[in-house]
Amino acid sequence: MLTACPAGEGPGPVFIGSEIYRRSGYGPWHPLRIPRVSTVTDLVRVLGWLSPSRFRAAPCARPAALHAWHSPAYVAALERAEAEQAVDAQTRVRHGLGTVSNPVFPGMFRRPATGVGGVMLAAALLRGGGVVHVPGGGTHHGLPDRASGFCYLNDPVFAVLALRAGGAARVAYVDLDAHHPDGVELAFAGDPAVLVLSVHEEGRWPGTGALEDCGAGEVWNLPVPRGLHDDDMARILDALVLPAVERFQPDAVVLQCGADGLLEDPQSRLALSNNAHVRALRALRPLSPRLMVLGGGGYNPWSVGRAWARLWGEILGQHAPGRLPPEAEAVLRGLRWARPGGGRFVTPQEAWVTTLEDPWRGGAATEGVAERLAVLRARLSTWI
């Protein structure tokens, strides 16, 4: 049983991971066949950033706990699909299982249920305040009765629910993934005690997250054009994200750090560096006593591993070395990746295997960003 720390006496930064991410995958042709959480874990360990006292193994959430958001019929179908390694046509249509995006594979229940267990553990650890990093979390497309967008269960929804059950009356959810968190918005759009703020690429699947959406008043969507870079994101952070979170005055913040908006990622057309995520983390950290940092999208194994490892370093106050030591370099040189659709394996750029910190990727303001920010700024001036 977990024992909460007294108020104001959090346990210090904690990293939650699991070996299930090393042992399971979506299949040889899926974008999520790449190692991600295992790469981050290996990197931070060889860098000396993950002592045993900082690490917790994520438990697998039990089916009954999943019924707080997902339907019992869907949870049972997901368990059955894992056990039988097959789905019938009716299950495929009703629950979105056994599709190209959401295939049948060993661990298809236990892996996402471990993501949910990880955020629930994180929420319990955060009752007394602090910061917890859960790189296996961030599957924000899962819907109550079906899998969607590579997401079988929606662990960000459970992160918010568990934080509220642990005493956080107001929770801010900030999502920096290239894709809009449609499942999270669906869960909380009508709840004035949950702020849902997303910066995502316009026109990108799932096609939700319009600028005009506001839910009960606490939904904020900024669809951005392709080519968005670090200077653009810095302006968005300062003009929208930070003022909105400050005005909301949350008891806890959940920050989803999908790395698919980075320049090297094949699943978006944004041009960010991992500095954008680090700067957001640094700025949001003082705005709430509790901060949960999740993973999310990210389909280039080098860029996602480096980004999430760098976030953990930021949480600890550790600066990335100019050149990685040989042990860390070996972790990155050991990765293999062919772009979706087959073809030759990608030869990584030398910076992808020798450094964690990207160069700043800035430039002139991307057309359309200022105008959309102005719409939300006008709304912000009359909010709360």
Side-chain angles (χ1 to χ4, degrees):
M1 179 178 293
L2 295 167
T3 302
C5 298
E9 298 180 16
V14 173
F15 182 107
I16 296 179
S18 172
E19 285 300 294
I20 197 169
Y21 299 106
R22 194 186 305 276
R23 299 193 307 266
S24 67
Y26 283 56
W29 302 108
H30 197 279
L32 277 179
R33 68 194 178 280
I34 63 172
R36 305 186 321 151
V37 178
S38 57
T39 299
V40 177
T41 307
D42 291 345
L43 273 176
V44 297
R45 278 188 170 139
V46 298
L47 286 167
W49 292 355
L50 191 59
S51 64
S53 65
R54 296 283 184 210
F55 180 82
R56 301 287 188 281
C60 184
R62 295 184 179 183
L66 300 174
H67 298 165
W69 165 243
H70 295 287
S71 72
Y74 172 61
V75 173
L78 184 58
E79 282 192 286
R80 187 168 58 250
E82 179 181 89
E84 298 176 359
Q85 285 299 284
V87 297
D88 57 29
Q90 182 180 1
T91 299
R92 185 177 297 108
V93 171
R94 178 179 175 184
H95 297 302
L97 298 172
T99 66
V100 173
S101 293
N102 309 297
V104 172
F105 67 90
M108 64 184 290
F109 171 78
R110 287 172 293 129
R111 177 174 166 138
T114 299
V116 173
V119 301
M120 294 176 74
L121 173 60
L125 292 169
L126 287 169
R127 286 178 183 172
V131 186
V132 177
H133 187 24
V134 194
T139 56
H140 56 185
H141 298 306
L143 300 174
D145 200 44
R146 61 186 296 110
S148 179
F150 312 164
C151 302
Y152 297 85
L153 300 172
N154 198 312
D155 63 82
V157 169
F158 286 92
V160 174
L161 292 175
L163 285 165
R164 294 183 68 183
R170 296 166 69 81
V171 179
Y173 175 79
V174 178
D175 193 303
L176 301 182
D177 198 284
H179 302 80
H180 176 252
D182 54 332
V184 183
E185 183 172 315
L186 175 67
F188 300 114
D191 190 339
V194 181
L195 170 72
V196 179
L197 192 155
S198 173
V199 181
H200 51 273
E201 184 179 354
E202 65 177 349
R204 181 67 52 187
W205 187 94
T208 52
L211 185 71
E212 300 78 17
D213 292 349
C214 61
E218 278 65 46
V219 170
W220 299 79
N221 285 315
L222 181 60
V224 296
R226 61 172 55 197
L228 187 92
H229 51 67
D230 289 345
D231 286 335
D232 294 321
M233 186 60 86
R235 286 186 281 268
I236 291 167
L237 187 66
D238 294 339
L240 173 65
V241 178
L242 297 181
V245 174
E246 285 176 329
R247 290 194 183 195
F248 189 70
Q249 297 183 337
D251 302 298
V253 171
V254 178
L255 174 61
Q256 200 266 23
C257 288
D260 46 5
L262 301 187
L263 178 66
E264 303 88 356
D265 199 278
Q267 296 288 331
S268 84
R269 294 296 178 267
L270 304 183
L272 299 170
S273 77
N274 59 32
N275 295 291
H277 296 76
V278 170
R279 188 174 185 273
L281 168 62
R282 188 179 299 153
L284 286 167
R285 187 170 183 175
L287 301 187
S288 170
R290 316 178 209 196
L291 174 62
M292 190 187 306
V293 182
L294 308 180
Y299 307 93
N300 175 318
W302 293 284
S303 60
V304 68
R306 292 167 65 246
W308 293 350
R310 221 187 135 200
L311 288 172
W312 177 242
E314 174 66 24
I315 290 168
L316 289 180
Q318 297 280 356
H319 296 292
R323 168 117 191 184
L324 290 172
E327 298 84 358
E329 193 173 316
V331 171
L332 293 169
R333 289 194 184 278
L335 299 174
R336 297 290 181 269
W337 177 53
R339 291 185 183 275
R344 296 180 179 178
F345 283 98
V346 172
T347 300
Q349 299 176 23
E350 193 65 8
W352 295 1
V353 295
T354 59
T355 68
L356 284 188
E357 183 174 345
D358 288 332
W360 185 268
R361 294 169 182 157
T366 300
E367 184 176 357
V369 174
E371 293 80 359
R372 295 170 207 185
L373 266 178
V375 171
L376 296 180
R377 289 283 296 175
R379 180 182 153 203
L380 191 63
S381 67
T382 61
W383 180 57
I384 297 185

